[in-house]
Amino acid sequence: MVTPDMFAQPEPRKTPAPAERIASLRDQLNEHAHRYYVFDEPTIPDSEYDALFTELQELEAAHPELLTAGSPTQRVGGAAVAGLAHVRHAVPMLSIRTETDVSASGAEKFEQQVRTCLATEQRKFERGERDPPVPLSKVALEVVNGMVIEYVVELKFDGLAINLRYENGLLVQAATRGDGETGEDVTHNIRTIRQIPLSLPQGVPPVLEVRGEVYMRRDDFESLNERQREKIARGVKGEKTFVNPRNAAAGAVRQLDPTIAAQRGLSFFTYGVGEITSPKKGGPDFETHFELLMTLKLWGFPVAELTRTARGASELIEFHQEIGRKRDLLPYDIDGVVYKINSLELQRELGFKTREPRWAVAHKYPAQEQLTTVLDIDVQVGRTGKLTPVAKLAPVFVGGVTVTNATLHNEDEARRKDVRIGDTVIVRRAGDVIPEVVSVVFEKRPADVAKTEQFDLYKRLGGQCPTCQSSIAREPGQVEWRCTGGLYCPDQRKQAITHFAQRTAMDIDGLGTEVVDALVDQGKVKSPADLYVLSSSDLMGMRLASGSTLQALSVENLLSAISASKAPALNRFIFGLGIQHVGESTAKALASFFGSLANLRKTSRWTPCLIQDIGIEVSTAIHDFFSETHNCDVLDALTKAGVIPSDSNPTAADAVTFEKLLLTVKRVDLATSPKKQGILFGVGDVQIERIAAKFRTPADLLNPVVFLGESEEAVRAKLEVLLSSSDWRNTPKELEALGVRWEEGEPAARTPQPLSGKTFVITGTLPTLSRDQAKDRVEAAGGKVAGSVSRKTDYVVAGTEAGSKLAKAQELGVAILDEAALLAMLDSGVPRE
């Protein structure tokens, strides 16, 4: 039914007055911050929060008379303070007693002390000696008579205790603990911490002091130190890295400039209150400590998520053990847990002893940091050949164990921390983490130690691996030194053999980690070549770490798999060698470019860089691997044992020109020269183009004709240096052996492979080929194998249980092949239309 009201214009929307909009924005931002920081339940995305925040900033800038100290925009403001004023606490900030017995009995001791204290007070009352002379409360008597005690269990944060004072809902002062009676005014810094509300909701007490811990999360601490390291690298004076999150947080809170604290990423958890008043009763009527904490959480203060109640000493023990297991996984540092009597009436009954509450105790964990002395600096070889400097220490008990070794990570880190033999150092061990040297206590450095040189790993080892005496190498711009004896080095054997045997390399089924460990530990295999001389008697009954032994069928299957791996595809063999940086795709590129293992073994430092996507680091790693005598010995032993990778026609001629060779020489040589003064330093790309155009082949450079006139004498001099280098003399010959013909001046024309440009997807189980074998066959014919079906897919090779990929191919109309059709295509060399 049509009525006149249907055509009435809606009332125009009124734009709220600035004061109303500002108040609304502040309420919204405070609510969203409360949900984000306290409950970890954000209801809007960051972008929307930022938009509301920006709108509030703009309104306050336009109406400065409406700006208040409690606005969310006033986290950082004003100039640095001249100094930290002293603040006398209305209610003393007392510390709690620490239980140093780190075993489970620490919790039992605390409960027994509580019961003993109350029983003593009851006997005093019965004798008329209690002061004041009043009977114990009902709850205290129940505990004396055996009632189970309820506690609140909390984390003991490794941070800085802070008292926050609110008057009429606004933060007016923040102070450190100090000596318990008097602290320092750090309000300007505390306002920068987003977990701390600047204003509170209506209904809170007129005076409210909230107490808690300012701390720094581990990820924020790592980010801070990373920024500090960048500054140090840029040469910024006065900058340093921080030893631990606690020191970084405490230092930030005591800064005079609040912008520094704002940059540190500080956080906050509350655990109690100080002065609290109400016009009616003198304070809110809480019955338990847990109720108090949950109310503080509702008012906007974050409470640690692991805080909860516990009944009896048995649950205290469970909590202590649970947090001990989780300690190293927490996003922040703790050094213990805290037990508090939950009943506030019982807390008042127990009172204090020498300014420590009888109703609470901190049950600590073993210290994670201690001081000790560096006796020596050793170098260990890791499973991948990485060389790690290790400080040998005077024994020290830290993190629950006696520590005698601590990692220095790498040479650069040891030099940055300036660790020297004889230094006093801070050592840290957290849980099962390897102990590390955190820093040097320079004030304790002896005079004779100060005169010694900084740690130099290469000089210390004389350029050789301490285990196998192979040469050590470090890539340009990298911090890690490595042993180059990958196939030979005893410390790398297990890693090398496991990698060699894996499915995508030599595919030796049955040679898993447990079997490899047993073979190496029992001295039966020292390199991959030793696998091929194993006999049944070597393996039969061999005991594994699990306690089981190899039986006849397992031995037969393993020896069969080893024998079947003697004729691998070249790319799989190259990948199995475990050359640093050489993954499956790089191994395929090397196999295609060089065509045979013999060609690859003779490569210069420059040649691999001629392959697309292979850079200087990879090329250097390849050259270093094949230059190491010990690796060559293992390769020779593999050949002698009958391991012969399949050869193919090298494709080097497809990609190499004389100009590209010269550009590659320049690129590699400059990158590997420490002072960036390589053979062709100063010779520009245009000049290289002119050289290649004039001389056409490497041999032409031997022509004594002065190059391009007298003005190019400097270039000629550099070319003469180039001609005298052994790498240069070998590289052109190497490339010519691979099919490169310089006189053509451009890459040789090459007949395209039959499946070039075609994309295949292989799915399901094929009758005779594994997926990897089918993939190798397709790629050897020039095709590409993808992991998913799309409109760009040319063929889907489907076996049994093909599943969704087959359905997708049918939906898109992609040609579908079975194994027989694929093999026919490969044999004919003609893709099916």
Side-chain angles (χ1 to χ4, degrees), residues 487 499-500 502 504-506 568-601 611 614 618 622 625-626 635 638 643 645-648:
L487 297 180
H499 178 84
F500 182 82
Q502 67 177 289
T504 51
M506 300 296 281
L570 178 58
N571 62 291
R572 287 174 172 266
F573 182 81
I574 295 171
F575 175 59
L577 296 179
I579 304 169
Q580 191 182 7
H581 303 311
V582 176
E584 291 182 69
S585 60
T586 301
K588 288 177 182 177
L590 290 169
S592 175
F593 186 89
F594 287 95
S596 72
L597 178 62
N599 289 338
L600 179 58
R601 288 182 65 174
I611 303 172
I614 290 186
V618 180
I622 294 166
F625 181 90
F626 289 109
L635 291 171
L638 283 165
V643 180
S646 58
D647 290 350
S648 61

Side-chain angles (χ1 to χ4, degrees), residues 277-502:
T277 63
S278 169
K280 294 182 179 179
K281 301 182 180 179
D285 190 16
F286 299 114
E287 292 186 0
T288 67
H289 181 67
F290 192 75
E291 179 190 359
L292 166 65
L293 291 177
M294 294 303 100
T295 302
L296 290 174
K297 187 172 183 178
L298 289 174
W299 288 346
F301 299 95
V303 176
E305 64 279 3
L306 291 171
T307 301
R308 59 177 181 260
T309 59
R311 290 176 57 80
S314 61
E315 291 191 10
L316 296 184
I317 293 170
E318 289 176 8
F319 183 75
H320 186 265
Q321 293 174 340
E322 174 194 342
I323 301 302
R325 292 189 296 270
K326 294 179 178 177
R327 183 183 183 188
D328 300 323
L329 303 176
L330 296 173
Y332 37 72
D333 284 351
I334 64 169
D335 55 7
V337 295
V338 177
Y339 312 137
K340 297 178 181 176
I341 299 292
N342 193 22
S343 166
L344 296 182
E345 183 179 10
L346 192 52
Q347 285 187 15
R348 290 188 288 269
E349 188 74 70
L350 287 163
F352 297 82
K353 179 183 180 182
T354 61
R355 302 179 64 78
E356 289 180 349
R358 291 190 177 96
W359 43 266
V361 70
H363 193 179
K364 300 194 76 171
Y365 294 111
Q368 292 183 305
E369 291 185 354
Q370 291 287 5
L371 290 179
T372 188
T373 305
V374 178
L375 304 178
D376 198 358
I377 299 178
D378 202 356
V379 179
Q380 293 181 351
V381 185
R383 288 167 61 90
T384 61
K386 176 185 172 183
L387 300 172
T388 301
V390 176
K392 299 294 183 179
L393 308 171
V396 61
F397 190 78
V398 55
V401 300
T402 298
V403 170
T404 56
N405 298 321
T407 181
L408 294 170
H409 298 293
N410 55 61
E411 181 185 67
D412 285 14
E413 187 73 359
R415 294 171 72 88
R416 184 183 68 78
K417 293 177 179 175
D418 194 16
V419 180
R420 307 186 191 190
I421 298 171
D423 272 331
T424 296
V425 294
I426 298 173
V427 178
R428 178 179 176 83
R429 180 185 181 274
D432 294 327
V433 177
I434 297 172
E436 67 170 337
V437 173
V438 177
S439 64
V440 175
V441 183
F442 291 104
E443 297 81 4
K444 294 179 177 288
R445 171 172 282 174
D448 59 333
V449 173
K451 297 176 182 178
T452 61
E453 294 182 352
Q454 281 197 322
F455 177 72
D456 186 316
L457 188 145
Y458 189 89
K459 183 184 293 186
R460 179 64 183 269
L461 297 180
Q464 293 184 328
C465 170
T467 302
C468 69
Q469 287 70 58
S470 298
S471 59
I472 65 173
R474 179 165 65 174
E475 296 168 357
Q478 299 299 306
V479 299
E480 294 177 351
W481 289 93
R482 290 183 179 274
C483 165
T484 60
L487 297 180
Y488 172 81
C489 183
D491 288 326
Q492 300 178 66
R493 281 175 187 159
K494 291 180 181 179
Q495 172 81 7
I497 294 168
T498 302
H499 178 84
F500 182 82
Q502 67 177 289

